Amino acid sequence: MPVTYVLVHGAWHSGQSWARVVPRLGASGRPVFTPTLTGYGETRHLLSPDTGLSTHTADIVRLLVEEDLRDVVLVGHSYAGMVISAVANEVPERIARLVYLDAMVPVHGESALDAMPVVRGMIGDDWRMPPPPPPFGLFGITDPGDIAWLGTMVSDQSTRCLEEPVAMDNPALDAIPRTHIHCTVKPEDIEFRPVPAVQPNGEPADVRELATGHDCMITMPAELAGMLLDIGDLAASRLSSAVGAGR
């Protein structure tokens, strides 16, 4: 069964951040979509105090519906772990697998501030949140050329993105298999939640690692693409088995 990749960028970034990964995934013949969420990158002029998690959830749901995308491997980087969780809650029938890429992994009713409390220190008095300063603001990137490229894509975000709670109360959400990819090079004070040994659907946890910093799509695109291709094969195999069993 064919699958489609939808790659969702994290806070401050844009769909451009996947540019080095897309050709490698596209070579497999599988469709790849890299939307830019409202208020970031080329849509930064649309940023407002009301731009939040619900805005970004609607962005991705709209893409899936308008393009009629099904059997989707939905990848969320960093803050987008919140987004893909909310999207899967709304349209679980379109999602083949969720991939949390060094991402926030919430439970129902949590905000990004709950899922990763360290980001509370990044909120100031204004509703606009500029990208954090170095070294954290370089997201694990050290190459000067890569740092310059990163600077062309990052932009402010709204505090509402971090404050708005996620809905994850659809029972069908639990049936969707998950993969967690962790980047192992990170600041000491940045830590994501441990992944439970058993997924919500009862299967063993699928946890993978990349020995690089947070923006692995920039620093290790070939390795990340290879991992996503393997995950896509896993999702396709599962879909074929489900069809054979009379899905």
Side-chain angles (χ1 to χ4, degrees), residues 56-142:
H56 299 150
T57 302
D59 288 340
I60 304 303
V61 170
R62 186 181 311 112
L63 170 69
L64 300 185
V65 172
E66 290 183 353
E67 297 289 339
D68 194 24
L69 303 182
R70 299 181 183 274
D71 301 331
V72 171
V73 176
L74 185 59
V75 182
H77 177 240
S78 195
Y79 155 73
M82 304 291 297
V83 179
I84 67 171
S85 299
V87 169
N89 194 69
E90 290 199 20
V91 287
E93 70 281 0
R94 293 181 180 269
I95 312 302
R97 196 170 196 94
L98 293 171
V99 180
Y100 291 88
L101 178 58
D102 218 36
M104 299 176 183
V105 185
V107 297
H108 176 64
E110 284 190 327
S111 68
L113 298 178
D114 299 318
M116 194 174 178
V118 70
V119 300
R120 292 181 182 275
M122 300 178 188
I123 294 181
D125 297 329
D126 192 6
W127 65 267
R128 298 181 73 103
M129 294 179 62
F136 177 77
L138 298 179
F139 306 100
I141 298 174
T142 57

Side-chain angles (χ1 to χ4, degrees), residues 102 140 182-186 209-217 219-220:
D102 218 36
H182 294 161
C183 298
T184 60
V185 180
K186 55 175 44 81
E209 293 184 345
L210 287 169
T212 189
H214 187 53
D215 273 6
C216 56
M217 70 288 295
T219 58
M220 293 186 75

